[in-house]
Amino acid sequence: MAPAPSPSPQPARPPASAAGSARQRVSVLLPMPFPGPFDYAAPAEMALQPGDIVTVPLGHRRQTGVVWDATSSLPPEFAPPPQRTVDAAKLRPVAERLELPPLTAELRRFVDWVAAYTLSAPGMVLAMTLRLHMRGVPTPSTGWLAASPQPDGLRLTPARQKVLTLLADGTARTTTDLATAAGVGPGVVKGLADAGALTPVPLGPERAFAAPDPFHNLPVLEGAQAEATDALRQTVAEGRFSVTLLEGVTGSGKTEIYLEAIAACLEQGKQALVLLPEIALSAQWMERFTRRFGTQPAIWHSEVGQRARRLTWHGTADGSATVVVGARSALFLPFKSLGLIIVDEEHEALFKQEEGVIYSARDMAVVRARLAGFPIVLVSATPSLESLANVEAGRYRHLVLPSRHGGAALPETRILDMRDHPPPRGLFLSPALTEELTATFERKEQAMLFLNRRGYAPLTLCRSCGHRMECPHCTAWLVEHRNRKILSCHFCDHTEPMPEACPSCGAEQSLTPIGPGIERITEEARHLFPDARILVMASDTLGGPAATAEAVGKISRREVDLVIGTQIVAKGWHFPHLTLVGIVDADLGLGGGDLRAGERTIQLLHQVAGRAGRASTPGRVLLQSYTPEHPVMQALLSGDFDAFMTQEAEQRRPGFWPPYGRLAALIVSADTALAADDAAAALGRVAPYGDGIQVLGPAPAPMAILRGRHRRRLLLRTRKSIAVQPILRRWLGLVKLERQVRVDVDIDPVSFL
């Protein structure tokens, strides 16, 4: 992460009301793409203060906004340009102050900082905090408790039993919360209620969140786990800003350790936030949390219903939601007294928001912790080079867990050179891998096949004329999804039926799939192992956290022999009976010009390999590769992740590539190729230059057309000591663009598409 510019202390200022005046001038920031707040007038008796949530007129309608600070806390080079002052007599009046908790000074500084760092409109950053559906106090709802006694003759299915087991702690929960936590459908809960097995109870906002008990079910930790736990507890007790990188091999107990840091935070009466890169990871994580603290945390992600999101928003603002687990947007919740942030799987590219306000949730989490003065813990088995560089520079503390918990051994890794062990023609699994799978099933153990590619085949072409099926809106091939009989673009979600004949030459039955996707591997596995119970785990086969929880439950109950999955299976899962992992295409991801291709590949494959042998039975990992001599493959074979990352660092350091320099991308897009070319060329002609400053491009983006818009890229690279934001502001100010042209700024890009 690029070092943050240190904000100046916010100067003390009098209350927003002016003594003796009939009206006060207040700045109100609206959750809209304006360059800054607008001034309004309010009666002095309203006594508005910064942070108050108000409604104000905007054009012919009312808009919710926040009374903002009159003085910026940012250094001058990062502060937005001053706006024109409107005469007091022309100010429109504030309509009302809403009965909502005000946004804290810390959160307001954070909004300003993120906007300045990402060159975004501050109102668009505020929009991630101030959602329209957050307005108003949540209304009471109905929850459920287990009836006592249970009705005679109640038919208990496994799904129903999970719901009743969950309610055994005496905490009333809504239908949605019960279904999500138990990993079942809402119909299961309703069926129990209809059968008289559940008793309805009224729920008010004050009962929305049961308080996690930091002294419930205390763990027994020994050795390196105990030392790391003591260190994190001490850090939380000190209550000062610090960043700790918790690195541990897969299965070393990292989650259990940082849960103790959360317990220490709760003991101090503070709130904690846990960021996860994948919504699906919340299922098994929630089980661990509930087992440790006796109740569930608040949940925040896109699959959560509107009412639950509204409750969580209010719960963070009034302090009743003491622990929140969520996706990257949870970072912008209005916590009353946040005292700890955990970023799990900190290396994950999914923490980068690629549209709208483009930001890294991991990096901005560090900023929020620094601005408010509390600790943050970054967790990974395969830390990012950025975090390792910060450890090397002394900015982060490093805690390392070198071995698995409970004496479990790391899996044995073997590379299958596909030139020596080729699969039969038209198939994709090496005979050596299928032999290992057969032996695993005979021992009544579980296996996993991994391929990070959804669908049946990544490319469909005509055998007669060579025509390739491509997306009409993107520079991308259409992916066949045979189960749904469609072709789909994985970039813009365009779909069309699979044609019977080639749309170019008209030849019938001539379209053929090229390469494997996960559906094709499943088809092959079903043919090879007709008696095996197979479960497919991919983002388009799992409908959400409840479906994921059900799939995980089946694997844990040994109702599955073979798991076939994409990257959703790589992270965080603990399957004690899974002993073999086969990686179908270990070379996937190493091609192209991505700066981080090697780093990402080793992180992903290391995580996948870590699913094997997590209990007493030894694990084995087989990687199918056509380039076994590649440094990534050799590092996976030796298990020496540190040596690979050291080599990667030495390759980037001389050219001041991240993390030893700064990058910012300008993505120019327009409705036509000509407009995109002209705008990119205009930016190229006035590109900044100087010692330690270089501009690469303009050039067509690898994804040259996306959702119908033509895209060009320019890349600004500077030495570490040079801030890119002032350079970008001046650069963009030199070019006047046509209305149809848009320039997106990506500070610290992780994707180069």
Side-chain angles (χ1 to χ4, degrees):
M1 184 189 81
S6 299
S8 307
Q10 189 173 357
R13 53 166 275 166
S17 58
S21 64
R23 299 204 311 171
Q24 60 178 139
R25 178 190 291 264
V26 293
S27 295
V28 177
L29 185 62
L30 302 174
M32 302 178 76
F34 298 121
F38 291 149
D39 283 355
Y40 286 88
E45 60 270 17
M46 195 176 279
L48 294 177
Q49 297 291 333
D52 286 342
I53 301 176
V54 297
T55 59
V56 295
L58 183 68
H60 299 292
R61 54 193 175 90
R62 285 190 179 185
Q63 177 67 49
T64 301
V66 179
V67 178
W68 217 245
D69 303 88
T71 305
S72 173
S73 62
L74 297 169
E77 65 270 26
F78 285 93
Q83 299 185 72
R84 180 174 59 89
T85 301
V86 179
D87 184 83
K90 297 181 179 179
L91 295 179
R92 301 183 72 181
V94 174
E96 65 173 323
R97 178 175 59 192
L98 301 180
E99 294 301 319
L100 293 171
L103 300 192
T104 63
E106 169 265 316
L107 181 53
R108 300 195 305 275
R109 288 197 299 272
F110 180 59
V111 168
D112 280 339
W113 201 99
V114 173
Y117 189 81
T118 61
L119 297 188
S120 302
M124 297 310 294
V125 181
L126 177 65
M128 293 189 284
T129 291
L130 197 67
R131 304 292 183 183
L132 293 180
H133 62 260
M134 299 308 171
R135 183 178 177 182
V137 178
T139 56
S141 64
T142 299
W144 301 101
L145 289 173
S148 182
Q150 287 288 294
D152 294 334
L154 177 67
R155 186 171 66 89
L156 278 181
T157 64
R160 286 184 167 188
Q161 185 60 58
K162 285 194 289 186
V163 173
L164 294 175
T165 300
L166 194 65
L167 289 173
D169 62 1
T171 302
R173 296 175 174 87
T174 65
T175 299
T176 301
D177 291 343
L178 268 176
T180 300
V184 301
V188 175
V189 180
K190 294 176 181 177
L192 281 170
D194 293 341
L198 302 181
T199 301
V201 295
L203 287 180
E206 71 281 357
R207 296 190 59 188
F209 304 102
D213 181 2
F215 304 104
H216 177 84
N217 196 19
L218 296 173
V220 177
L221 302 173
E222 299 176 348
Q225 277 194 327
E227 293 174 7
T229 298
D230 291 343
L232 287 184
R233 276 187 161 272
Q234 180 62 32
T235 297
V236 174
E238 291 171 357
R240 298 193 301 267
F241 169 67
S242 66
V243 185
T244 300
L245 175 62
L246 177 60
E247 178 184 0
V249 299
T250 54
S252 58
K254 297 182 294 296
T255 303
E256 285 72 18
I257 290 170
Y258 74 65
L259 288 180
E260 296 314 297
I262 293 174
C265 179
L266 295 175
E267 290 169 18
Q268 293 187 341
K270 298 285 188 177
Q271 295 167 290
L273 168 64
V274 181
L275 296 178
L276 299 178
E278 287 266 20
I279 293 173
L281 291 180
S282 63
Q284 206 169 54
W285 190 94
M286 293 286 285
E287 292 180 8
R288 295 185 185 184
F289 185 93
T290 304
R291 186 164 58 246
R292 171 60 181 88
F293 293 103
T295 190
Q296 293 186 350
I299 309 173
W300 184 270
H301 54 67
S302 60
E303 299 295 326
V304 175
Q306 287 295 313
R307 183 182 183 279
R309 289 167 69 88
R310 189 165 62 248
L311 284 171
T312 299
W313 192 93
H314 284 272
T316 57
D318 64 22
S320 61
T322 52
V323 181
V324 177
V325 57
R328 54 183 177 243
S329 60
L331 183 61
F332 294 88
L333 285 169
F335 290 93
K336 181 180 181 180
S337 57
L338 189 56
L340 176 68
I341 296 179
I342 307 289
V343 183
D344 205 348
E345 309 288 359
E346 64 87 23
H347 65 277
E348 268 292 338
L350 290 170
F351 280 123
K352 186 66 182 281
Q353 169 70 34
E354 298 282 5
E355 295 182 340
V357 178
I358 302 175
Y359 69 96
S360 164
R362 177 199 63 198
D363 296 352
M364 295 303 103
V366 173
V367 171
R368 183 161 190 181
R370 182 177 59 80
L371 291 176
F374 59 75
I376 178 172
V377 181
L378 310 180
V379 185
S380 178
T382 53
S384 63
L385 191 53
E386 282 79 5
S387 293
L388 291 173
N390 279 316
V391 168
E392 181 184 18
R395 288 187 286 269
Y396 293 1
R397 181 173 60 167
H398 198 192
L399 299 178
V400 181
L401 303 170
S403 58
R404 284 185 159 179
H405 178 59
L410 290 170
E412 173 192 356
T413 301
R414 175 183 164 199
I415 297 178
L416 298 179
D417 189 336
M418 298 296 279
R419 296 167 297 189
D420 298 332
H421 303 278
R425 183 176 177 84
L427 301 179
F428 301 93
L429 299 181
S430 164
L433 177 55
T434 58
E435 289 173 8
E436 287 282 352
L437 288 166
T438 299
T440 300
F441 299 148
E442 289 175 351
R443 292 192 299 268
K444 306 300 182 183
E445 297 169 359
Q446 294 172 317
M448 174 186 289
L449 290 176
F450 171 80
L451 176 63
N452 196 25
R453 185 184 280 149
R454 291 181 290 136
Y456 186 84
L459 173 63
T460 300
L461 61 75
C462 175
R463 290 190 302 269
S464 298
C465 69
H467 174 76
R468 300 185 178 195
M469 301 297 294
E470 58 183 309
C471 177
H473 311 298
C474 303
T475 311
W477 308 122
L478 291 175
V479 178
E480 180 183 355
H481 288 256
R482 184 157 294 188
N483 293 340
R484 292 187 286 162
K485 299 180 180 179
I486 62 169
L487 294 169
S488 173
C489 174
H490 288 176
F491 293 93
C492 73
D493 297 327
H494 166 81
T495 61
E496 57 186 65
M498 185 70 184
E500 296 290 336
C502 173
S504 178
C505 70
E508 296 186 357
Q509 306 300 321
S510 65
L511 295 177
T512 185
I514 303 298
I518 192 173
E519 291 180 11
R520 200 169 191 180
I521 297 302
T522 303
E523 180 181 86
E524 184 174 341
R526 293 191 191 282
H527 174 74
L528 290 169
F529 310 107
D531 297 328
R533 297 168 296 176
I534 296 176
L535 174 69
V536 178
M537 293 185 69
S539 59
D540 55 354
T541 64
L542 298 174
T548 303
E550 179 61 26
V552 171
K554 288 182 178 180
I555 299 170
S556 300
R557 295 190 298 269
R558 308 186 76 167
E559 298 172 8
V560 173
D561 300 312
L562 177 61
V563 181
I564 302 178
T566 59
Q567 65 176 355
I568 198 172
V569 304
K571 301 172 284 290
W573 307 114
H574 177 73
F575 302 134
H577 309 295
L578 197 152
T579 60
L580 175 67
V581 169
I583 297 174
V584 176
D585 187 354
D587 305 324
L588 185 64
L590 290 176
D594 192 332
L595 169 70
R596 298 179 176 85
E599 179 185 355
R600 285 180 179 171
T601 299
I602 196 171
Q603 287 167 338
L604 177 61
L605 298 188
H606 184 91
Q607 293 276 350
V608 176
R611 299 315 105 201
R614 294 172 68 95
S616 57
T617 306
R620 300 170 317 288
V621 180
L622 274 65
L623 298 94
Q624 294 191 161
S625 172
Y626 287 94
T627 58
E629 67 282 354
H630 194 285
V632 168
M633 300 304 134
Q634 291 301 308
L636 290 166
L637 184 63
S638 67
D640 197 343
F641 175 79
D642 293 341
F644 174 84
M645 295 301 280
T646 299
Q647 177 184 354
E648 188 79 5
E650 292 310 311
Q651 291 177 348
R652 296 194 205 174
R653 203 186 307 263
F656 54 94
W657 292 101
Y660 307 105
R662 299 178 187 272
L663 282 183
L666 298 185
I667 303 97
V668 181
S669 64
D671 295 337
T672 66
L674 179 61
D677 286 334
D678 288 346
L683 285 166
R685 285 192 293 270
V686 295
Y689 65 92
D691 183 31
I693 300 175
Q694 182 184 18
V695 172
L696 306 175
M703 186 62 61
I705 306 175
L706 181 64
R707 301 186 184 94
R709 292 184 65 83
H710 297 261
R711 305 168 75 243
R712 308 292 181 261
R713 289 180 66 96
L714 299 97
L715 192 65
L716 172 66
R717 181 171 58 155
T718 73
R719 297 192 184 278
K720 191 77 170 178
S721 58
I722 301 174
V724 298
Q725 288 83 358
I727 297 173
L728 290 167
R729 284 187 186 276
R730 289 193 296 269
W731 184 11
L732 292 170
L734 295 175
V735 177
K736 185 176 182 180
L737 301 172
E738 296 181 22
R739 183 180 296 272
Q740 65 156 306
V741 175
R742 185 175 75 236
V743 177
D744 293 312
V745 180
D746 185 356
I747 308 291
D748 309 323
V750 299
S751 170
F752 293 88
L753 291 178

